[in-house]
């Protein structure tokens, strides 16, 4: 798939689509061009009948996504008009995640913070390597999370833990994330890709219309 940025990669291997956050110099922090590319990649995978599901992951072994790329804020959000455009483009990426009708797996190494955790929470299944770290540091930055993002977290871990995660902004270890249900599985780093591939292949072998109906039903429930 040809994209306008090299900070996002997309490829198909058999029935599995792969979407990679490719900004390792900044721990895969999400830039505006990456949000825009997400809004192109996921609809393309959605329309491709050969793709049964998608795995998203971060380049390198340091991070899934470490949050927003704040280095571009001075330029990309320097005025009310620029900030509005930034919000429009980034919301397009979030909408593509939220509306994706096929199974979506997050393969997580290293940092999964802020917008990175929000992105991972948009997945149906999260598989993490030992050593991964999770947090939503908004309370330390004077930022607010909207209803949609908070609801996903609340539905996953419950209101008491959602409040603790958001109020304290503290880092959670991969072991704690597994215990509270933030992730589905925790595996040694050397086994992460093999585990995700085996899971993806087992899902891809099942009836796609049943899988799609199940995703919609669980989402409604």
């Amino acid at each position: 798939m040809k994209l306008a940025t090299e900070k996002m990669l997309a490829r198909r291997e058999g029935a599995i689509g792969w979407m990679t956050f490719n900004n390792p110099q900044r721990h895969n922090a999400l830039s505006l061009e990456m949000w825009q590319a997400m809004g192109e990649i996921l609809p393309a995978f959605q329309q491709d009948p050969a793709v049964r599901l998608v795995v998203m992951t971060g380049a390198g072994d340091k991070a899934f996504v470490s949050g927003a790329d704040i280095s571009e804020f001075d330029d990309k959000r320097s005025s009310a008009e620029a900030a509005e455009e930034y919000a429009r483009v980034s919301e397009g990426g979030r909408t593509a995640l939220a509306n994706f009708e096929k199974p979506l797996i997050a393969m997580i190494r290293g940092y999964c913070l802020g917008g990175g955790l929000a992105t991972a929470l948009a997945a149906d299944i999260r598989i993490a390597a030992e050593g991964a770290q999770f947090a939503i540091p908004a309370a330390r930055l004077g930022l607010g999370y909207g209803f949609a993002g908070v609801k996903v977290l609340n539905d996953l871990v419950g209101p008491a833990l959602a409040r603790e995660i958001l109020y304290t902004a503290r880092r959670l270890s991969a072991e704690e994330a597994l215990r509270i249900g933030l992730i589905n599985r925790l595996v040694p780093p050397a086994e992460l890709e093999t585990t995700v591939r085996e899971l993806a292949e087992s899902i891809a072998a099942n009836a796609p219309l049943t899988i799609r109906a199940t995703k919609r039903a669980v989402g409604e429930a």
Side-chain angles (χ1 to χ4, degrees):
M1 187 181 301
K2 187 173 179 59
L3 300 168
T5 177
E6 295 181 352
K7 291 182 179 179
M8 291 292 292
L9 305 176
R11 70 184 193 278
R12 181 174 69 83
E13 293 182 5
I16 304 170
W18 290 82
M19 182 172 74
T20 303
F21 303 101
N22 187 39
N23 191 12
Q25 295 83 1
R26 302 196 63 81
H27 290 157
N28 299 322
L30 286 170
S31 65
L32 190 62
E33 60 190 318
M34 293 167 74
W35 280 117
Q36 184 168 0
M38 255 193 286
E40 300 170 5
I41 293 168
L42 291 171
F45 280 147
Q46 180 66 50
Q47 296 301 317
D48 187 346
V51 174
R52 295 287 187 92
L53 76 159
V54 169
V55 176
M56 55 182 177
T57 191
D61 59 3
K62 302 297 184 184
F64 174 72
V65 173
S66 61
D69 188 350
I70 61 174
S71 69
E72 67 177 12
F73 279 12
D74 286 346
D75 178 42
K76 302 291 187 181
R77 300 169 66 173
S78 58
S79 66
E81 293 79 10
E84 184 176 342
E85 177 64 9
Y86 186 99
R88 185 191 66 79
V89 173
S90 59
E91 186 58 32
R94 293 186 188 93
T95 299
L97 281 168
N99 293 343
F100 193 64
E101 296 180 353
K102 298 176 182 180
L104 186 60
I105 299 174
M107 185 170 79
I108 302 167
R109 296 184 182 89
Y111 300 119
C112 185
L113 311 176
L117 180 51
T119 301
L121 291 179
D124 301 292
I125 299 171
R126 286 159 294 283
I127 312 296
E130 294 168 352
Q133 298 181 45
F134 303 83
I136 299 177
R140 294 179 181 167
L141 304 172
L143 302 174
Y145 261 59
F147 172 79
V150 171
K151 186 179 187 305
V152 172
L153 178 65
N154 186 81
D155 288 348
L156 194 62
V157 302
L161 285 168
R163 290 188 188 102
E164 181 180 344
I165 290 168
L166 292 166
Y167 289 176
T168 65
R170 69 180 179 86
R171 297 275 179 96
L172 281 67
S173 68
E175 289 75 18
E176 184 174 5
L178 178 65
R179 179 175 60 80
I180 68 175
L182 199 63
I183 59 176
N184 295 69
R185 299 188 200 176
L186 180 62
V187 299
E191 298 176 15
L192 179 62
E193 186 166 341
T194 299
T195 299
V196 170
R197 283 182 178 276
E198 289 176 351
L199 175 63
E201 288 167 1
S202 70
I203 294 171
N206 291 330
L209 294 181
T210 302
I211 297 295
R212 184 174 298 190
T214 299
K215 176 165 180 169
R216 180 171 296 182
V218 171
E220 290 295 328

